[in-house]
Amino acid sequence: MTAATANGNHAIDDPVVVKVQSASPIEETTLFEELYQMECFRTGEFYLKSGQMTPIYIDLRRIMSSPRVLRMAAQAMCDKLVAKNIKFDYVVGVPYAALPLATLVSDILNTPMLMKRKEAKAYGTKQLIEGVYQPGKTVLLVEDVVTSGESIRETAEAIRKESLKVTDAIAVLDRQQGASANLAEDKLNFMSFLTMEGILDGLITKNEMTEERKHQIIEHLAKPF
């Protein structure tokens, strides 16, 4: 059965949601190795969306070209969500890079997915949030890489305006540039599977970085922007 909602969508009354943890949880070192092999970590001089120069760039868009690694990254987030007993009714990927990850999280956890557009369509239903949902339910936000958390904050704000709750967000990797504290101010609990410090440690084990260079990068990333 379905019931019409205030937003014109139809919400399923009795979905069966079964959240399953993988038999063998993904290890951080395992995912790091896969991302390393796909050349997702690049050192040099790069500029972020904020305009800040960064000496290391994390390019997780590359993993969409490997279904196996993409699913591994999604499974790693699912393992963390289940372990922390995070409750939610819908999954939303921060547009648009995180959509493949959010789709897999939705599939693995058998939890409905919604899609948030960057802007409402000027035609058709003109909706900002696509999918079937009930106001008052809770959304989990999924992201690939997080810097300050601004994209998550903006997405949460738009979803909350649609009478949905947003309390948690998860990413594959946290660049550790203030996202946790920034999002906490908006009553958002943020977590990630990998951290920038962990990536730098991994690059040291690959003899691609020294301890001294690691500390230089961490100091640079700690600067305000």
Side-chain angles (χ1 to χ4, degrees):
M1 292 180 62
T2 62
T5 63
N7 56 31
N9 290 316
H10 286 79
I12 301 171
D13 288 337
D14 53 352
V16 177
V17 178
V18 180
K19 301 187 177 183
V20 180
Q21 192 170 16
S22 59
S24 179
I26 306 297
E27 298 288 339
E28 292 181 24
T29 53
T30 302
L31 184 57
F32 167 83
E33 183 63 32
E34 295 290 350
L35 299 180
Y36 177 80
Q37 292 299 327
M38 292 201 70
E39 301 181 353
C40 293
F41 314 126
R42 306 184 186 188
T43 56
E45 186 173 305
F46 305 91
Y47 288 86
L48 302 177
K49 179 182 177 181
S50 63
Q52 181 197 33
M53 191 284 285
T54 178
I56 182 167
Y57 186 68
I58 312 296
D59 185 7
L60 292 193
R61 287 174 174 80
R62 297 177 67 83
I63 68 175
M64 71 177 71
S65 298
S66 171
R68 181 180 62 82
V69 178
L70 181 66
R71 189 169 186 86
M72 181 184 292
Q75 183 67 63
M77 289 192 287
C78 291
D79 290 344
K80 194 174 189 82
L81 291 165
V82 172
K84 288 185 172 292
N85 198 30
I86 303 298
K87 304 294 185 182
F88 49 91
D89 304 295
Y90 308 110
V91 175
V92 171
V94 176
Y96 285 111
L99 291 183
L101 286 165
T103 301
L104 284 172
V105 169
S106 169
D107 178 52
I108 293 168
L109 297 182
N110 192 29
T111 301
M113 178 178 168
L114 305 175
M115 188 181 79
K116 186 261 178 186
R117 292 179 174 275
K118 284 194 173 181
E119 56 185 28
K121 297 186 298 183
Y123 55 90
T125 59
K126 300 183 180 181
Q127 294 185 146
L128 187 65
I129 308 297
E130 300 286 3
V132 179
Y133 62 92
Q134 289 179 312
K137 297 287 188 176
T138 302
V139 168
L140 169 78
L141 296 183
V142 173
E143 181 63 294
D144 57 352
V145 180
V146 173
T147 304
S148 67
E150 183 61 19
S151 293
I152 288 178
R153 188 197 64 76
E154 291 176 351
T155 303
E157 181 180 14
I159 291 173
R160 285 167 173 168
K161 288 181 179 178
E162 298 296 318
S163 299
L164 288 163
K165 300 174 184 176
V166 187
T167 56
D168 298 280
I170 190 168
V172 177
L173 188 142
D174 177 11
R175 287 179 57 94
Q176 296 178 292
Q177 292 184 260
S180 291
N182 293 340
L183 293 173
E185 293 179 0
D186 281 329
K187 295 181 173 56
L188 281 165
N189 171 48
F190 172 64
M191 67 203 90
S192 70
F193 186 73
L194 299 174
T195 63
M196 179 62 84
E197 186 164 8
I199 297 305
L200 297 177
D201 286 337
L203 292 176
I204 290 174
T205 67
K206 297 290 186 181
N207 296 316
E208 293 206 10
M209 185 170 296
T210 63
E211 283 283 354
E212 180 182 9
R213 183 55 179 154
K214 169 191 169 182
H215 292 303
Q216 290 174 344
I217 291 176
I218 289 176
E219 288 179 5
H220 179 88
L221 298 181
K223 295 177 181 178
F225 60 93

